[in-house]
Amino acid sequence: MLDRILVERYGLADVRLSPAPHGFVAETYYVDSASGRYFAKFVKPSLGAVTIAPSLPLLRELKQLGVDQITYPIPTTDGQLSVPLGGALFILFNCVAGDWVFDYPFEPYIRLLAEIHHLSDRIQSPLLRETYELAFMDDLRAYCKRLWTGAFDQEQEKALATWAVDCRDDLLRTMHVAKETIKQLQSSEHVFVLTHGDAPGNIMYDGKQIALVDWDMVMFAPRERDTWFHRHDARFLPLYRQFVPGYDFDPTAYRFYLYKRYLEDVLGFFEKILSPHSSDEVKADNYRQLIQDCDGWLRPLMEQERAEN
């Protein structure tokens, strides 16, 4: 089916698809054709229209404003930026050279991030604006209740239930702090800029140049939506202040995005590990990532934030 779309809607010839790295929300492919290589994304129904579709004109606009180090959608032969498929979306992007890495030159990355923030006033495309809502919380509470009270036979599911019970007080406290932080943010004013939402985890690097990819959750929001990742990196502020003089982290916005990331990641791992469609290998890999990311990275940052406040 996807082959036919690429031929009929995009005019490509000699199409060959191969799997590409992906996260929680989409199937992704490399597309090799007679005219070159592309990157394709098949987005699940519930996310496409709400978050990803509005980002596509924005990416074309950034490209027109001279930001070349990004992915941007390739139009169909009739000028559409995506192809709807029963509530899902198929999107074809340019293919960025290099590998998806976490070890990349820091200064060019900060320069690119600051450039995108700086262009916010020139953006014409309508985009979502941060409302500080956590729409996923009911799902997270339901998974927590299931893990706290249920019985499990599969190895990683049993390990996850033990983890959830051991972390119950911490999870409840984190949910409460997030709720109170939202109240503070919704009653205050913040300058909004164009933000990616997960920039440091979506860098492609070919040994010469970086590129920022995966713009599924782009929105206008406080700078902390992008900068919170670097709160404890001594290199960050001196570099970023070259482009945004006087900038400092807003502690409330920082807390919100830190706690949101933790809760979102926990839910994502719960879903993968408890899914009847996940293989034992996928469950094991996601449990390993849960321990690595939530216990090894995010929870220590939350403990440090609480100690400082």
Side-chain angles (χ1 to χ4, degrees):
M1 178 183 67
L2 300 183
D3 301 56
R4 187 175 71 251
I5 290 172
L6 291 163
V7 172
E8 296 177 357
R9 298 298 304 273
Y10 290 91
L12 300 184
D14 299 328
V15 171
R16 300 174 305 282
L17 279 76
S18 57
H22 62 86
F24 291 125
V25 302
E27 298 175 13
T28 55
Y29 305 89
Y30 292 118
V31 178
D32 290 289
S33 72
S35 57
R37 188 170 231 210
Y38 302 89
F39 181 83
K41 182 174 287 189
F42 183 68
V43 185
K44 297 176 183 178
S46 62
L47 291 163
V50 176
T51 61
I52 297 176
S55 76
L56 303 179
L58 174 277
L59 294 174
R60 298 291 301 181
E61 193 172 354
L62 283 177
K63 172 66 174 173
Q64 293 164 2
L65 289 170
V67 182
D68 295 321
Q69 297 159 262
I70 58 171
T71 47
Y72 51 87
I74 305 298
T76 61
T77 54
D78 60 353
Q80 302 303 306
L81 298 183
S82 63
V83 177
L85 296 170
L89 283 181
F90 179 81
I91 309 161
L92 187 67
F93 294 91
N94 64 309
C95 190
V96 174
D99 298 314
W100 184 24
V101 297
F102 292 92
D103 183 16
Y104 45 81
F106 195 65
E107 184 171 356
Y109 157 70
I110 297 302
R111 185 184 303 115
L112 176 60
L113 193 66
E115 179 185 6
I116 291 165
H117 291 174
H118 185 67
L119 288 171
S120 300
D121 292 341
R122 299 177 62 184
I123 297 300
Q124 300 299 314
S125 301
L127 285 178
L128 296 175
R129 294 180 65 84
E130 179 64 85
T131 61
Y132 308 111
E133 296 175 357
L134 301 180
F136 58 84
M137 288 300 293
D138 286 344
D139 289 339
L140 178 58
R141 292 189 186 96
Y143 272 105
C144 284
K145 182 178 180 181
R146 179 180 170 189
L147 286 162
W148 292 337
T149 60
F152 302 90
D153 296 321
Q154 199 274 341
E155 180 181 354
Q156 277 72 42
E157 292 181 4
K158 288 194 293 184
L160 180 64
T162 299
W163 182 91
V165 170
D166 289 345
C167 295
R168 178 171 181 164
D169 290 345
D170 190 64
L171 285 166
L172 290 171
R173 176 174 57 178
T174 300
M175 293 178 196
H176 174 74
V177 172
K179 181 179 179 180
E180 294 303 309
T181 303
I182 288 170
K183 292 179 182 178
Q184 295 177 49
L185 289 169
Q186 289 178 335
S187 63
S188 59
E189 296 290 334
H190 288 83
V191 174
F192 280 14
V193 299
L194 180 65
T195 61
H196 178 282
D198 193 17
N202 286 285
I203 295 294
M204 300 287 288
Y205 181 51
D206 64 359
K208 297 180 181 179
Q209 180 172 274
I210 65 164
L212 181 52
V213 302
D214 197 4
W215 290 78
D216 293 355
M217 303 301 290
V218 62
M219 69 167 59
F220 287 111
R223 295 178 191 272
E224 284 72 23
R225 185 169 186 258
D226 282 340
T227 65
W228 77 266
F229 297 93
H230 311 297
R231 173 68 177 81
H232 300 289
D233 189 327
R235 300 172 296 170
F236 175 74
L237 280 178
L239 285 172
Y240 192 73
R241 283 172 175 167
Q242 293 179 18
F243 307 96
V244 188
Y247 171 77
D248 207 348
F249 295 94
D250 179 279
T252 309
Y254 168 75
R255 184 187 316 119
F256 171 75
Y257 288 111
L258 170 60
Y259 280 50
K260 179 183 179 183
R261 178 58 180 263
Y262 177 80
L263 294 170
E264 277 183 326
D265 280 12
V266 166
L267 175 59
F269 292 128
F270 283 2
E271 289 174 337
K272 283 289 187 180
I273 296 168
L274 295 179
S275 171
H277 306 295
S278 294
S279 66
D280 287 352
E281 182 180 0
V282 168
K283 291 175 186 284
D285 183 58
N286 276 270
Y287 183 76
R288 177 189 60 79
Q289 290 184 56
L290 167 71
I291 300 304
Q292 176 181 302
D293 293 353
C294 296
D295 286 355
W297 170 40
L298 294 166
R299 190 181 294 174
L301 290 178
M302 293 191 297
E303 291 172 354
Q304 184 171 353
E305 189 277 332
R306 286 193 287 264
E308 292 173 349
N309 293 280

